[in-house]
Amino acid sequence: MDKTFIGKRSSAAGGWGALKSCGKRLLQSGGPISGARTMLKANQPDGFDCPGCAWGDPAHGSSFEFCENGVKAVAWEATEKRATPDLFERNTVSELRRLTDFELELHGRLTHPLRYDAQSDRYLAVSWEDAFAEIGAILNSFDHPDRAEFYTSGRASNEAAYLYQLFVRLYGTNNFPDCSNMCHEASGVALRQAIGIGKGTVLLEDFEKADAIFVIGQNPGTNHPRMLGDLRRAAIRGARIVVFNPVREKGLERFSDPQDKIEMLRGGSTDIASHYFQPRLGGDMAAVRGMAKAVFSAEAAALTAGNPSVLDHAFLAEHCSGFEDYRASVEATGWSEIEDQSGLTREDLERAAAVYMAAERVICTWAMGVTQHVHSVATIREIANFMFLRGNVGKPGAGLCPVRGHSNVQGDRTVGINEKPPAAFLDALEKQFGVTMPRREGHNVLAAIGAMLDGSAQAFIGLGGNFARATPDSALVEKALRRLKLTMNIATKPNHSHLMPGEASFILPCLGRTEMDLNTGGQSQLISVEDSMSMVHGSAGINRPASPHLLSEVAIIAGIAQATVGSSVVDWEELAEDYDLIRDHIEATIPGFEDYNARLRKPRGFLLRNSASHREWDTTSGKASFAAAALPAETPHQQARKSKGRFALQTFRSHDQYNTTVYGLDDRYRGVYGERHVIFIHPDDLKDMNAAAGDRVDVIGEYDDGVERVARSFRFVPYDIPRGSVAGYYPELNILVPLGSAGEESDTPTSKSIMVSFRTEAA
Ligand SMILES: Nc1nc2c(c(=O)[nH]1)N[C@H]1C(S)=C(S)[C@@H](COP(=O)(O)OP(=O)(O)OC[C@H]3O[C@@H](n4cnc5c(=O)[nH]c(N)nc54)[C@H](O)[C@@H]3O)O[C@H]1N2
Ligand SMILES: Nc1nc2c(c(=O)[nH]1)N[C@H]1C(S)=C(S)[C@@H](COP(=O)(O)OP(=O)(O)OC[C@H]3O[C@@H](n4cnc5c(=O)[nH]c(N)nc54)[C@H](O)[C@@H]3O)O[C@H]1N2
Ligand SMILES: [Mo]
């Protein structure tokens, strides 16, 4: 094992390696037959929405879109293994805490509601009625509703999320910390400022028409494998694909599509990226500004030569505000600053700009490599600026495309999981339910942790997710959770967040996406989700529930709501019996859901209207707004190099994990096997430290707040990554992400720019 932990990188992403890996997962989950049957229903009109990612579903195509990581997500949920009360009786919580999340989740699906018994330090089975009654009583014992924090992870359906926000607002607070705060918050903030809506403007069909696709700070080979199919088809058609990523990611280089029988038989693969640029960490705003600068020079040259304009003047005149200020700010930015921050040369950026200018229709996609930095909002505004120059928003084959994470993270926001709810939504809720809604701004993730630490919060309620592991400074968050009066998690499998009980604590097991959700009359209930392209579609599970004691998320929320706020305003039981009635409330309070129940039952669902894609700009200026910000005063790379031995660290996902859920210890595309405690680093940086591949070191957090942060025993992996930038896996490195470092305007933890140094492992 020791000699082989750094092995061969796959020659292409996808392909036979993906099929082999799937076979293994399906077998582990209890047999290929039931597994394959389950997979055949993923992302089909009459099946369930894949719990893997938020990429859109095709209107046409093969009987099911094959996706290795979709198979893993489905198999993970459809496992035959069970975490029964027996497991919790045999082991104290302190003993279970010694297991990794990987080992914990291997115990399988939770089967019974559990209540923490402090005296024996064990979780014991409890009835649903007793659990609801006790939770309601504790929530009602606080002197103020803002004492409780209501977290949401992005898997919750529209129906569960809407019911949850309704209950929480009737209870009296807007405290909705949400996984989105750690994810695409910056995209929402920046896009609302720039185009008047916090969502992307493209449809899946646009990928069939684009002449160029820019992919910035995203690793779709691992995190959105079905997107690779769309990129591959675009590449074959001759579209140019321009990648900006400090790390050479296999999936973006070559891809062998398991859907393509001929390619599979020939052992062939398709080049994805026509251009692959490796900026320094956090250097993307400079890189995009460099491309904009090249576009402006080309425009000047075209005017001099009497050639057609490069800019889309009609679009700029009719639709944009702030263009002249932006032009001035680009002119004021020098090439040396651009080259230094981005780590790319002027020639590189001119080449990239040439691709942009040669294309009639351009799509730009991005994900966490852009959103988890201090300057994320400014960077996304710069991406929008760049796209406005040639009118690449609001026309077919073009647009802005933040690629979402969790399968319904976008839908949860749409239906009201928002700590800063728009006034119009609260007005609509008041009209619909005839009661006053809280207007105070609530807590996001960082504010909720702050409130737990300073003692003003007394309860944590989790609708899915793994709050303690996904958040920054995980060691501090653990302590904060254990000081609360109440902690409660609705979950499918055990994880570490459940093992940090407050005075009273509950684990409430729920049905997964793949399972049949039947009401008391035995009728199957449909839920709905919204993908990255704003398509809303239905989802109904096909598997038998993992245990007869499970309730749906909706039923659990209804039970807690009934016990806490009673049924004078809302008949919770009735809504839990018939989700159509929840959808009626959504339709009555949120624009875009007209005829929700009928349209949901159409094969591909329906599209939520996106104003910006119709070139309607709901911004303060009423136009698509340019931003004229200067480049960041300092990028993480520039900050790190001021001190010898310091590096800028990003934390990303391996090919064998889903966020805090680790499926296995291999990262095939990056050639790392059986080990997750690794640091990817440039070979020359290793040489400078007199270190070698495989050496073990402690990683020291170098954030300036006096807190000592050490991640112990990591091994170096030499890699194709810029000097001064290093990378390693989330969540193992979350103890190094400082709570105090957050994105400007987004308040997102900066988990892609952490200052670190290395120390030879303490003996
Ligand atoms: N199988 C699987 N699918 C998933 C998930 C999963 O864990 N597993 N997670 C889901 C979720 S919640 C999300 S949010 C998405 C995440 O999807 P991604 O955003 O693709 O996730 P990360 O692994 O964080 O990868 C970030 C990428 O950005 C690059 N990067 C880092 N810093 C920079 C930078 O400064 N500039 C540039 N240009 N690039 C940079 C990294 O090298 C890496 O390739 O995936 C979703 N889908
Ligand atoms: N350092 C670092 N930290 C990060 C990131 C990073 O890139 N680097 N990424 C951030 C991002 S993008 C995100 S989205 C967050 C993710 O944060 P979370 O959403 O909180 O974390 P997950 O790991 O997705 O949650 C996994 C747990 O969800 C539960 N679960 C799974 N399916 C269901 C279901 O159907 N219903 C219910 N109720 N529960 C279910 C299971 O118990 C499982 O253990 O992490 C963030 N944290
Ligand atoms: Mo995410």
Side-chain angles (χ1 to χ4, degrees):
M1 171 71 67
D2 214 54
K3 284 207 184 87
T4 55
F5 95 96
I6 306 177
K8 232 178 76 197
R9 289 174 79 203
S10 318
S11 57
W16 293 107
L19 285 184
K20 212 166 89 190
S21 166
C22 283
K24 207 162 105 189
R25 291 300 151 208
L26 288 176
L27 284 169
Q28 280 173 354
S29 76
I33 306 298
S34 68
R37 191 179 82 97
T38 311
M39 267 323 286
L40 284 167
K41 289 286 179 193
N43 292 334
Q44 292 307 301
D46 63 338
F48 58 87
D49 180 68
C50 178
C53 75
W55 191 246
D57 304 327
H60 47 79
S62 53
S63 62
F64 76 100
E65 261 220 310
F66 173 85
C67 164
E68 175 189 358
N69 280 344
V71 170
K72 288 182 194 167
V74 167
W76 177 88
E77 188 173 294
T79 173
E80 307 264 288
K81 303 212 176 79
R82 297 291 177 264
T84 61
D86 190 44
L87 168 74
F88 296 92
E89 253 177 72
R90 275 186 283 113
N91 299 281
T92 63
V93 168
S94 316
E95 282 162 355
L96 290 172
R97 219 180 279 130
R98 286 188 213 121
L99 303 181
T100 60
D101 273 304
F102 177 49
E103 291 161 335
L104 264 178
E105 293 198 5
L106 275 181
H107 286 285
R109 294 285 302 278
L110 293 157
T111 58
H112 288 69
L114 301 165
R115 180 186 183 285
Y116 182 61
D117 174 53
Q119 214 159 21
S120 63
D121 188 32
R122 283 181 167 82
Y123 274 103
L124 305 174
V126 64
S127 72
W128 283 107
E129 294 69 30
D130 289 352
F132 293 152
E134 196 174 332
I135 291 164
I138 299 173
L139 285 175
N140 282 329
S141 71
F142 299 144
D143 62 350
H144 198 283
D146 287 348
R147 298 277 174 256
E149 307 290 349
F150 294 88
Y151 179 65
T152 313
S153 168
R155 268 199 205 182
S157 63
N158 282 355
E159 292 72 15
Y162 185 85
L163 207 67
Y164 189 57
Q165 67 78 32
L166 182 59
F167 152 56
V168 173
R169 293 198 161 104
L170 288 176
Y171 173 67
T173 182
N174 285 309
N175 282 352
F176 286 108
D178 166 15
C179 74
S180 177
N181 299 142
M182 299 181 273
C183 186
H184 264 294
E185 189 74 52
S187 305
V189 171
L191 291 177
R192 266 191 301 280
Q193 294 170 358
I195 59 169
I197 180 168
K199 300 181 183 183
T201 64
V202 304
L203 297 174
L204 207 49
E205 292 84 301
D206 290 315
F207 282 80
E208 296 167 10
K209 299 179 195 133
D211 306 310
I213 301 167
F214 283 64
V215 180
I216 308 184
Q218 198 200 340
N219 181 21
T222 286
N223 298 313
H224 304 92
R226 288 181 299 119
M227 176 177 172
L228 273 196
D230 293 293
L231 290 180
R232 173 180 166 274
R233 283 185 285 278
I236 289 173
R237 248 189 331 98
R240 316 260 81 188
I241 294 172
V242 183
V243 171
F244 287 86
N245 196 315
V247 176
R248 290 296 290 200
E249 299 285 23
K250 193 79 253 170
L252 288 166
E253 297 177 313
R254 294 193 68 74
F255 177 54
S256 177
D257 193 344
Q259 237 100 238
D260 184 327
K261 294 183 189 69
I262 298 173
E263 192 161 81
M264 290 293 283
L265 284 174
R266 284 214 208 109
S269 57
T270 307
D271 279 333
I272 299 291
S274 54
H275 300 74
Y276 204 120
F277 300 105
Q278 292 176 271
R280 292 169 170 159
L281 278 186
D284 299 279
M285 183 172 175
V288 179
R289 173 89 24 125
M291 290 192 286
K293 214 170 162 62
V295 171
F296 282 117
S297 336
E299 170 72 2
L303 285 186
T304 316
N307 290 337
S309 207
V310 174
L311 301 176
D312 183 341
H313 285 288
F315 179 79
L316 293 171
E318 188 186 341
H319 289 287
C320 297
S321 70
F323 172 66
E324 286 306 330
D325 286 349
Y326 176 62
R327 187 209 289 267
S329 142
V330 173
E331 265 160 28
T333 316
W335 275 110
S336 61
E337 196 186 356
I338 290 172
E339 291 190 325
D340 189 35
Q341 291 206 344
S342 68
L344 301 172
T345 63
R346 176 174 178 170
E347 292 70 42
D348 282 339
L349 294 169
E350 284 172 347
R351 266 198 305 140
V355 176
Y356 176 75
M357 289 185 282
E360 261 320 294
R361 292 166 290 263
V362 180
I363 289 175
C364 183
T365 78
W366 68 91
M368 298 304 103
V370 171
T371 63
Q372 295 176 332
H373 282 292
V374 176
H375 306 288
S376 300
V377 170
T379 303
I380 297 163
R381 293 291 309 264
E382 188 68 12
I383 291 174
N385 290 338
F386 177 59
M387 295 289 277
F388 293 155
L389 291 178
R390 286 177 47 81
N392 274 308
V393 179
K395 70 180 181 191
L400 295 161
C401 181
V403 184
R404 301 281 163 179
H406 270 300
S407 50
N408 197 38
V409 63
Q410 185 160 318
D412 290 347
R413 263 294 155 81
T414 303
V415 302
I417 302 299
N418 192 343
E419 77 280 5
K420 288 181 249 173
F425 174 56
L426 296 178
D427 294 344
L429 286 177
E430 291 185 349
K431 191 158 158 252
Q432 178 76 357
F433 297 99
V435 287
T436 317
M437 293 288 158
R439 299 270 163 171
R440 293 174 313 283
E441 191 175 299
H443 291 159
N444 64 9
V445 163
L446 290 184
I449 295 171
M452 288 180 206
L453 286 169
D454 73 21
S456 57
Q458 297 177 344
F460 172 85
I461 311 293
L463 174 53
N466 189 356
F467 187 81
R469 280 289 187 262
T471 46
D473 263 327
S474 19
L476 268 177
V477 173
E478 282 187 36
K479 277 198 207 124
L481 281 167
R482 295 180 68 183
R483 290 215 306 248
L484 299 176
K485 292 221 159 66
L486 170 69
T487 56
M488 189 219 94
N489 284 280
I490 301 174
T492 47
K493 283 196 185 176
N495 66 42
H496 267 273
S497 298
H498 310 156
L499 303 179
M500 299 166 190
E503 252 171 64
S505 184
F506 296 85
I507 306 174
L508 304 181
C510 66
L511 295 172
R513 229 4 119 64
T514 56
E515 289 163 336
M516 281 185 279
D517 181 355
L518 304 178
N519 65 10
T520 51
Q523 282 164 317
S524 172
Q525 302 254 35
L526 189 65
I527 57 152
S528 53
V529 295
E530 175 185 341
D531 67 27
S532 274
M533 280 93 193
S534 306
M535 289 294 298
V536 178
H537 46 86
S539 171
I542 56 162
N543 287 344
R544 211 157 19 95
S547 143
H549 307 288
L550 301 185
L551 290 182
S552 71
E553 288 177 336
V554 167
I556 296 172
I557 294 160
I560 299 171
Q562 171 72 36
T564 312
V565 299
S567 53
S568 58
V569 177
V570 175
D571 185 339
W572 305 100
E573 235 173 75
E574 184 186 61
L575 296 185
E577 275 295 300
D578 183 358
Y579 300 175
D580 277 9
L581 301 177
I582 303 178
R583 285 185 283 268
D584 287 342
H585 286 305
I586 296 178
E587 180 174 336
T589 49
I590 301 171
F593 286 92
E594 295 75 23
D595 224 1
Y596 192 178
N597 278 307
R599 285 198 292 161
L600 186 63
R601 289 176 166 88
K602 300 226 169 94
R604 270 185 92 205
F606 63 95
L607 177 68
L608 279 179
R609 189 168 188 280
N610 182 298
S611 45
S613 66
H614 297 271
R615 297 195 165 173
E616 292 160 18
W617 318 102
D618 192 11
T619 56
T620 36
S621 65
K623 303 260 184 184
S625 304
F626 276 96
L631 292 185
E634 196 174 50
T635 63
H637 176 88
Q638 290 171 321
Q639 197 190 338
R641 73 177 174 203
K642 288 195 298 197
S643 319
K644 194 169 164 9
R646 207 168 270 199
F647 293 84
L649 166 77
Q650 62 140 323
T651 52
F652 57 15
R653 293 152 172 79
S654 81
H655 194 62
D656 228 0
Q657 78 182 78
Y658 193 94
N659 295 342
T660 66
T661 293
V662 174
Y663 302 125
L665 303 179
D666 296 344
D667 194 2
R668 196 172 79 242
Y669 292 171
R670 300 195 185 106
V672 173
Y673 297 91
E675 174 75 275
R676 285 183 54 88
H677 283 70
V678 294
I679 295 290
F680 298 91
I681 184 167
H682 192 285
D684 292 343
D685 282 335
L686 270 187
K687 241 185 259 153
D688 277 4
M689 290 190 289
N690 288 323
D695 282 2
R696 276 197 190 277
V697 288
D698 290 342
V699 190
I700 316 294
E702 296 285 357
Y703 186 66
D704 240 358
D705 60 355
V707 178
E708 190 186 75
R709 297 181 178 86
V710 186
R712 295 196 193 280
S713 200
F714 283 69
R715 306 179 76 182
F716 284 129
V717 176
Y719 214 74
D720 190 349
I721 182 171
R723 292 199 66 176
S725 298
V726 295
Y729 300 129
Y730 144 66
E732 284 80 354
L733 287 161
N734 279 41
I735 35 176
L736 299 180
V737 185
L739 273 171
S741 172
E744 285 172 3
E745 295 181 83
S746 64
D747 218 17
T748 297
T750 55
S751 38
K752 299 284 193 274
S753 57
I754 309 161
M755 291 302 118
V756 298
S757 62
F758 302 107
R759 184 170 69 194
T760 312
E761 197 184 357

